[in-house]
Amino acid sequence: MTTIKNTNKSSIILATEALEEGNLVSFPTETVYGLGGDATNNLAIAKIFETKNRPEFNPLIIHFASFDQIEENCEINDDIKKLNDLFWPGPMTIILKKKKESKISDLASANLDTIGVRIPNNITALKLIKSFGKPIAAPSANTSSSLSPTEANHVYEYFENDKNLSIILDGGSTQIGLESTIINLDNDKIEILRHGGVSAEELKEKFPQKIINIEQKANEIIIAPGMLSKHYSPAVPLRINAKKAEKNELLIGFGPNYNAPNLSFEGSLVEAASNLFSFLAKYQKKHSKIAIAPIPNKGIGRAINDRIKRATSKN
Ligand code: TXA
Ligand code: MG
């Protein structure tokens, strides 16, 4: 069950506790309301995908309270510092290279070596991230393919009976009402991947020589890195819907009828999603072939199967 709470000290504490327990919290940003979870906790991230009912693991935007906190997790250069001075806190997301030592969940970044980061310009969001002490992963708080929410009530209508989401922090109507601008730094150039709260004109004014192929890239959002199959291919052959291991093959099970390694002995799809990338990373180092037991194609299981199929498509 979900409740809407006015933002104050006690609701921020409750929301912080929910995040610490690995549950979800909805909070306002200056763009749209987010559906937030601990960015370092794979299980919390799996709950976000389950709640949104997304059929694939798109990478999520990670929300930070300060630039220092971003520097702990990402590689930084002078352009990024300048973008920070100009536009953060604000409606801009930058795709940055993740540092090796970063604890950001592999599921949150859909197993890419980059993360989309931003510092939101909203007092409730900033208080929550500071109180929690860790970054918060949050897509827009709507079910897949419906409108992004700009009021606490919208979030409530989508998720009133959701078991993962206990609190919606009410911060009134969001000021901007459309999502952040997403940019990618490619060598010396700045590519706009999604238009949003920071306009292309503002970016061009501050970086006259660097903004490239804006219109073209804006259309390419449909092939954002999260959707490219090659990013997900493991280094070894992968076989799906396998009930038994073949010769020289490791079988990764799912559910009580399979031995270890097992994505979830109790057959929890959320747990399986949270283990998927780390299992593949770990076992491809030790085994020349991997098979995966059948995963039910419902709920977040669709996203798991989508990802496994992409991983096999190259082989
Ligand atoms: O204003 C916003 O950006 C809102 C608020 C809540 O912050 N968030 C939002 O998130 O719109 P979402 O999940 O609805 O959209 C995130 C987009 C996706 O299209 C995803 O592909 C892209 O960001 N993205 C995130 N991380 C990425 C990465 N590492 N590489 C490429 N694209 C990435
Ligand atoms: Mg969205």
Side-chain angles (χ1 to χ4, degrees), residues 238-298:
L238 191 59
R239 191 165 65 87
I240 53 175
N241 282 324
K243 300 226 162 77
K244 270 191 184 153
E246 288 175 356
K247 205 177 161 211
N248 297 330
E249 194 178 54
L250 173 80
L251 178 65
I252 298 179
F254 172 81
N257 300 329
Y258 293 85
N259 294 330
N262 192 311
L263 288 168
S264 170
F265 280 111
E266 61 182 63
S268 154
L269 290 168
V270 172
E271 188 186 8
S274 75
N275 284 327
L276 181 65
F277 293 129
S278 57
F279 272 40
L280 289 178
K282 180 171 167 192
Y283 294 114
Q284 76 180 18
K285 287 201 187 117
K286 301 187 203 153
H287 298 269
S288 57
K289 288 189 210 166
I290 294 177
I292 301 189
I295 309 284
N297 206 37
K298 57 174 195 208

Side-chain angles (χ1 to χ4, degrees), residues 27 29-35 52 54 58-63 91 93 95-96 108-109 112-118 120 138-142 148 178-182 184 193-194 221 224-227:
F27 60 94
T29 77
E30 78 281 37
T31 59
V32 299
Y33 276 73
L35 180 67
K52 275 193 72 100
R54 261 188 179 170
N58 244 344
L60 305 178
I61 294 174
I62 315 295
H63 297 71
T93 297
I95 310 298
L96 296 178
S109 61
L112 299 170
D113 56 8
T114 56
I115 39 178
V117 308
R118 80 181 193 97
S140 48
N142 51 286
S148 289
L178 109 169
E179 281 95 341
S180 60
T181 302
I182 302 181
N184 182 49
L193 299 180
R194 178 176 79 182
I221 189 68
M227 297 169 140

Side-chain angles (χ1 to χ4, degrees), residues 131-144:
S131 161
F132 182 48
K134 290 195 269 182
I136 298 178
S140 48
N142 51 286
T143 46
S144 215

